[in-house]
Amino acid sequence: MSSTTTLQKAGGAGDPGTPQSSDGLKAGLKNRHLSMIAIGGVIGAGLFVGSSGGIAKAGPAILISYALVGAMVVFVMRMLGEMAAASPNSGSFSAYADRALGRWAGFSIGWLYWFFWVVVLAVEATAGAVILEGWIPAVPQWAWALIVMVVLTATNLASVSSYGEFEFWFAGIKVVAIGGFVIVGLLAVFGVLPGSDNPGAGFAHLTDAGGFLPNGAGAILTGVLMVVFSFMGSEIVTLAAGESEDPRRAVTKATNSVIWRIGVFYLGSIFVVLTLLPWNDKSIVEKGSYVAALDSIGIPHAGTIMEVIVLTAVLSCLNSGLYTASRMAFSLGERGDAPKSFAKVNAKGVPTAAILGSVVFGFLAVYFNYAFKDTVFDFLLNASGAIALFVWLAICFTQLKMRGILLREDPEKVTVRMWLFPWLTWATAAMIMFVIGYMFFDDGNRKVVILSTVVAAVVALVGVVLQKTRKASVEA
């Protein structure tokens, strides 16, 4: 079965007038869905929850950490956009790695990415359950985790448009919240917000507590390790594009807008926090960076407001995580690297078996989080922790070879091009490898990178063996 997602009318499953891709998936995502998935994809719960730790370690210099990682993500998205705009595919970078580097590479990166997201399902379901139990203590935490997983599984099983609609509103809430925070915060920073409790010190707080680099230049790298994982998810739009009305347009638009999205949502919001409060203000760590900033302005019920926003971000991540894992499983099944049942779609164009297979592992991971938190789940968490970096590295090496393949096949389709090719691609790969290497020397990340590397090596070895076995079988 072809994995090309050139859209065609009628034929196959579903309503006769509904666009459908040649791999059987329904093109049920509207342009507004894709636009919001692209914008919201870079805003994860990690931005709201994890930024305070980075600020405490690096001070105002955390802005440089965010800028470095943001630039890395922009370059990776540009590479991915080049390939996805020319050849939209539900397997995205896994399918491209299959073509450019070999079947073992597509197999490895596809399964590793699937593994990453099913573990994320457990993490986010538990995070959401903690918030919900705080609001309604009568329902135990495990029950909330179960409810959240069941509801979002049902959403994904209903249709791809259901996923798109949920994600549109989840992402919309995140975007409005961050946008409002940046605008209100900047007004308070310059002392022009009516009724603000913050005197507004302008840019003074960036240097008035030990300078811009209070913990030295080395803290920038520590900050990089703390913030890099909050950026994971920006590549989801390239998987979703295969089920959209106009895949090439959606990918091109998402790729071209990634710079301002990261600039506004990450750098902009962290800049506001650091200019409203001194970086070493105890409330940033105790309450969280965004709650502390809102409290300093005098916004009532700041903690509750942020809980609602974080819960929205958690549900968004769960929704997208299940979608992403299932589509990667679908693509692997279609290429013969997963059970064939994963490549089958129902009358609505939904890969039911791929969704259920992904969610079953997600449910198991949730169970492990409650029953074996310090053993089994700890291993799963650490073994998947660095996979985001491995995926980005694979995208770099894939794009280096795919450029030639795409130009030979149909150069007119290469509408998005990586800047300064191949030098910037190599520079981005070198930066990612540096971050991975630096993790080996960081006490807090050494276990994560070692276990993730071992798991990646085992999966890659299985992929190589399968590729050789298939090649021998064909030759025979």
Side-chain angles (χ1 to χ4, degrees):
M1 182 184 293
S2 170
S3 60
T4 306
T5 53
T6 305
L7 300 182
Q8 55 189 28
K9 291 280 185 179
D15 300 329
T18 305
Q20 184 172 322
S21 57
S22 58
D23 55 13
L25 295 174
K26 189 69 62 68
L29 293 176
K30 296 180 172 61
N31 287 330
R32 67 180 178 88
H33 293 153
L34 262 292
S35 296
M36 199 56 76
I37 289 169
I39 295 172
V42 297
I43 310 173
L47 173 62
F48 302 106
V49 178
S51 55
S52 57
I55 292 172
K57 286 287 185 181
I62 195 67
L63 287 170
I64 300 178
S65 303
Y66 273 106
L68 287 172
V69 178
M72 191 166 69
V73 172
V74 167
F75 297 150
V76 169
M77 279 298 294
R78 188 74 186 182
M79 297 175 221
L80 189 51
E82 176 180 298
M83 297 182 286
S87 178
N89 194 293
S90 59
S92 189
F93 45 84
S94 172
Y96 307 141
D98 193 311
R99 291 182 63 192
L101 305 178
R103 191 163 181 174
W104 69 271
F107 172 93
S108 304
I109 210 67
W111 277 115
L112 287 172
Y113 195 67
W114 178 87
F115 174 56
F116 171 85
W117 279 110
V118 292
V119 173
V120 166
L121 292 180
V123 175
E124 300 296 342
T126 304
V130 169
I131 295 173
L132 290 166
E133 186 189 31
W135 294 349
I136 308 177
V139 180
Q141 195 179 115
W142 66 266
W144 277 122
L146 182 65
I147 291 169
V148 167
M149 288 281 283
V150 168
V151 168
L152 292 179
T153 300
T155 300
N156 275 266
L157 284 171
S159 66
V160 67
S161 59
S162 298
Y163 155 72
E165 201 62 36
F166 266 73
E167 191 56 26
F168 177 81
W169 292 106
F170 286 153
I173 292 171
K174 292 189 293 184
V175 169
V176 170
I178 289 287
F181 175 80
V182 171
I183 293 170
V184 170
L186 286 175
L187 291 175
V189 165
F190 294 106
V192 294
L193 181 68
S196 172
D197 295 342
N198 192 299
F203 301 143
H205 288 322
L206 293 176
T207 55
D208 64 4
F212 189 76
L213 293 165
N215 297 325
I220 295 174
L221 291 177
T222 303
V224 165
L225 297 187
M226 298 185 73
V227 307
V228 66
F229 303 108
S230 65
F231 282 82
M232 194 63 177
S234 54
E235 68 286 332
I236 290 175
V237 67
T238 62
L239 281 84
E243 293 176 82
S244 69
E245 298 167 338
D246 189 348
R248 289 189 176 86
R249 178 178 177 274
V251 169
T252 302
K253 186 177 178 181
T255 302
N256 291 335
S257 65
V258 71
I259 297 176
W260 72 259
R261 287 187 275 131
I262 289 175
V264 171
F265 299 130
Y266 279 84
L267 290 172
S269 62
I270 298 299
F271 176 81
V272 166
V273 172
L274 290 167
T275 47
L276 282 174
L277 293 165
W279 70 272
N280 56 357
D281 191 300
K282 292 181 179 178
S283 64
I284 291 179
V285 173
E286 292 172 355
K287 299 178 181 179
S289 52
Y290 292 87
V291 173
L294 291 172
D295 276 343
S296 78
I297 298 173
I299 303 294
H301 311 295
T304 303
I305 292 171
M306 195 50 58
E307 277 191 341
V308 172
I309 295 169
V310 170
L311 179 62
T312 302
V314 164
L315 294 176
S316 171
C317 191
L318 262 172
N319 193 38
S320 289
L322 181 53
Y323 171 84
T324 305
S326 66
R327 280 358 181 233
M328 188 57 74
F330 169 84
S331 179
L332 288 165
E334 196 181 35
R335 286 177 274 145
D337 290 331
K340 286 292 183 184
S341 59
F342 283 7
K344 295 179 180 178
V345 298
N346 62 17
K348 296 179 179 179
V350 174
T352 306
I355 292 175
L356 293 177
S358 300
V359 84
V360 163
F361 194 96
F363 275 120
L364 279 174
V366 170
Y367 169 72
F368 291 145
N369 194 13
Y370 287 101
F372 307 103
K373 185 177 181 63
D374 297 325
T375 52
V376 179
F377 188 72
D378 182 61
F379 169 79
L380 292 176
L381 203 58
N382 286 307
S384 64
I387 285 174
L389 292 168
F390 297 158
V391 168
W392 293 345
L393 189 60
I395 290 171
C396 293
F397 291 131
T398 300
Q399 191 261 339
L400 285 168
K401 294 201 70 174
M402 274 296 287
R403 166 68 73 88
I405 295 172
L406 293 172
L407 289 178
R408 285 195 301 272
E409 290 182 349
D410 195 344
E412 292 182 358
K413 290 183 178 179
V414 186
T415 54
V416 177
R417 293 193 179 223
M418 177 59 182
W419 306 296
L420 299 176
F421 178 84
W423 311 112
L424 195 51
T425 300
W426 279 112
T428 306
M431 184 178 178
I432 296 171
M433 286 189 285
F434 174 80
V435 172
I436 294 171
Y438 188 71
M439 290 176 71
F440 278 103
F441 299 96
D442 182 76
D443 293 339
N445 288 282
R446 187 177 298 114
K447 184 178 179 181
V448 171
V449 73
I450 289 174
L451 283 177
S452 295
T453 302
V454 169
V455 169
V458 170
V459 174
L461 181 62
V462 172
V464 170
V465 171
L466 286 175
Q467 180 173 302
K468 288 185 176 181
T469 303
R470 285 164 180 153
K471 184 178 179 180
S473 177
V474 170
E475 290 175 350

